[in-house]
Amino acid sequence: MRNTRYEGPFDTRASEWIGDLTVWKRQNAEDNSERLDRLRRNLRQAREQELTPRQRQVLSLYYDQGMNIPQIAGELGLNRSTVSRTLRRAKDRLYRCLRYAL
């Protein structure tokens, strides 16, 4: 058997076609900036109203200050597993609050 490459009409413009599709998708995509603004507003409100003080503190250190779990544990004098569970519970609580907010 010989290995022959089929060169049909789609092979000649394959890369151009992908580029055309990308441009078309970009031009026809809906603008979701209003939904993102509403989500950010609701996220700020949920962080203040729905989380415990410890959850707010751990979430702030993790996302706002870019610390990792061992660094947070050292800073707060907690076990890494405690920090991990606290972070998971905070994210779960925020998810439950925000999943229907859009």
Side-chain angles (χ1 to χ4, degrees), residues 12-62:
T12 57
R13 270 201 73 206
S15 62
E16 291 178 28
W17 183 80
I18 298 290
D20 292 346
L21 182 61
T22 303
V23 169
W24 179 85
K25 282 177 68 177
R26 208 175 286 137
Q27 290 172 346
N28 292 306
E30 72 177 67
D31 181 23
N32 64 352
S33 59
E34 289 179 29
R35 294 175 76 188
L36 287 174
D37 289 340
R38 185 170 51 241
L39 179 61
R40 286 186 189 103
R41 236 184 355 262
N42 290 341
L43 179 60
R44 279 192 297 273
Q45 187 176 12
R47 279 177 78 167
E48 292 300 318
Q49 294 178 358
E50 299 295 329
L51 299 181
T52 66
R54 176 57 56 96
Q55 288 173 339
R56 277 196 300 273
Q57 183 182 27
V58 169
L59 206 68
S60 176
L61 291 172
Y62 189 76

Side-chain angles (χ1 to χ4, degrees), residues 63-93:
Y63 286 109
D64 300 338
Q65 296 183 21
M67 295 174 74
N68 60 30
I69 290 174
Q71 290 171 333
I72 295 170
E75 172 100 11
L76 301 178
L78 300 172
N79 232 336
R80 286 184 303 202
S81 62
T82 302
V83 172
S84 180
R85 279 193 308 270
T86 303
L87 187 60
R88 169 57 38 209
R89 287 178 182 149
K91 289 194 286 188
D92 288 346
R93 187 176 280 190

